[in-house]
Amino acid sequence: MEGQYPKLIVFSQHGMSDGNYTMQVLAKKVSPPQSVIIAPYLGSLPSLIPDRFKFSIETHFAIEPLIQKVAHSAAQAFQDYPDIPARIIAKSLGGVIWVEVLSRHPEWWHRIESLVLLGSPIGGADLAKIIYSLGLRIGMAKHLREDRRYLAEKIAAVIPTLVVAGHIIGGWDLMVTVESTKFKHAHFVCLNGLSHPDLRTHPRVIQAIQEFWANPRVVLSTI
């Protein structure tokens, strides 16, 4: 893209227990030419650690600083590229963060062509609910247990949205239940045989995103 003005912003947000390297790779594989990829790293590990080996300690505690970090990154991108549209890909906690960001910034909605959520527990993560119910009301569990469908449905009623869930056995991807990823107005794809980490890199995920982006999409009245 050197020497060319970008035609598309692609935000690609990692989840709780990984860094931004795999989400950068995923975005590069699915994005059209002349796209600028914005993949914020939510941790604070030193720059001397290669990107592919980074993980985020900060994503296991408070969600508000992460929301602010992603919102700041988005605001800067919209300011730097004021005349081009954007698309969002977000995995797991990253999807929860983006739902919060968009709910607070409806003035950005007209800029966004699509929202893709990969294994994001928008309805509340069951594991987090169990941890919280046991009295361990610390860390990210108290945030991930919350049901944010009411926020996501308002967004998906305006922005074409794709939900991709993995499924191994028993209705979950070994970390997030399929049911917790669903909400009204979103297109939905469940990929059997894919675990939660697989949603960052698997060719079937790439195919699902490319197919969703390839055809004009409209919001749905029901899932």
Side-chain angles (χ1 to χ4, degrees):
M1 199 183 70
E2 187 175 352
Q4 295 179 314
Y5 191 77
K7 296 182 178 179
L8 180 70
I9 303 170
V10 178
F11 297 107
S12 188
Q13 189 57 57
H14 70 81
M16 183 163 63
S17 299
D18 52 359
N20 59 345
Y21 175 76
T22 52
M23 293 304 291
Q24 286 177 326
V25 172
L26 174 62
K28 289 177 181 177
K29 288 182 178 179
V30 299
S31 298
Q34 292 180 248
S35 297
V36 58
I37 294 170
I38 310 293
Y41 173 54
L42 299 179
S44 59
L45 291 176
S47 58
L48 56 87
I49 298 177
D51 286 346
R52 70 182 64 197
F53 299 122
K54 286 181 178 177
F55 63 94
S56 305
I57 297 174
E58 290 82 354
T59 55
H60 291 73
F61 298 101
I63 196 171
E64 189 60 33
L66 309 181
I67 294 170
Q68 295 299 326
K69 191 167 189 176
V70 172
H72 177 77
S73 176
Q76 186 64 56
F78 286 136
Q79 179 179 320
D80 292 343
Y81 306 102
D83 302 319
I84 63 174
R87 299 176 187 176
I88 300 166
I89 308 169
K91 177 184 174 286
S92 195
L93 172 63
V96 174
I97 291 170
W98 260 109
V99 165
E100 286 282 354
V101 169
L102 290 174
S103 70
R104 301 178 190 192
H105 293 278
E107 72 276 13
W108 293 344
W109 293 10
H110 74 283
R111 297 279 305 271
I112 299 170
E113 292 183 342
S114 68
L115 171 65
V116 176
L117 302 178
L118 308 175
S120 293
I122 303 301
D126 287 52
L127 287 176
K129 293 175 184 177
I130 293 171
I131 292 171
Y132 196 82
S133 68
L134 293 174
L136 302 175
R137 301 180 180 185
I138 57 174
M140 194 57 68
K142 64 183 179 181
H143 304 296
L144 286 181
R145 71 185 179 90
E146 296 180 17
D147 188 338
R148 292 178 171 84
R149 288 191 179 97
Y150 70 101
L151 297 177
E153 288 168 2
K154 290 180 182 179
I155 295 165
V158 177
I159 300 172
T161 299
L162 172 66
V163 168
V164 180
H167 178 255
I168 296 296
I169 191 173
W172 71 325
D173 63 7
L174 304 183
M175 189 166 294
V176 170
T177 63
V178 173
E179 193 62 31
S180 71
T181 68
K182 297 179 179 180
F183 52 89
K184 292 179 182 178
H185 310 306
H187 298 259
F188 176 73
V189 174
C190 183
L191 301 177
N192 288 315
L194 267 60
S195 68
H196 198 66
D198 291 336
L199 295 174
R200 299 173 298 175
T201 58
H202 200 278
R204 290 167 65 194
V205 175
I206 294 170
Q207 181 181 3
I209 297 172
Q210 289 175 330
E211 289 178 354
F212 183 70
W213 284 359
N215 301 300
R217 299 287 178 167
V218 295
V219 298
L220 301 179
S221 58
T222 58
I223 193 162

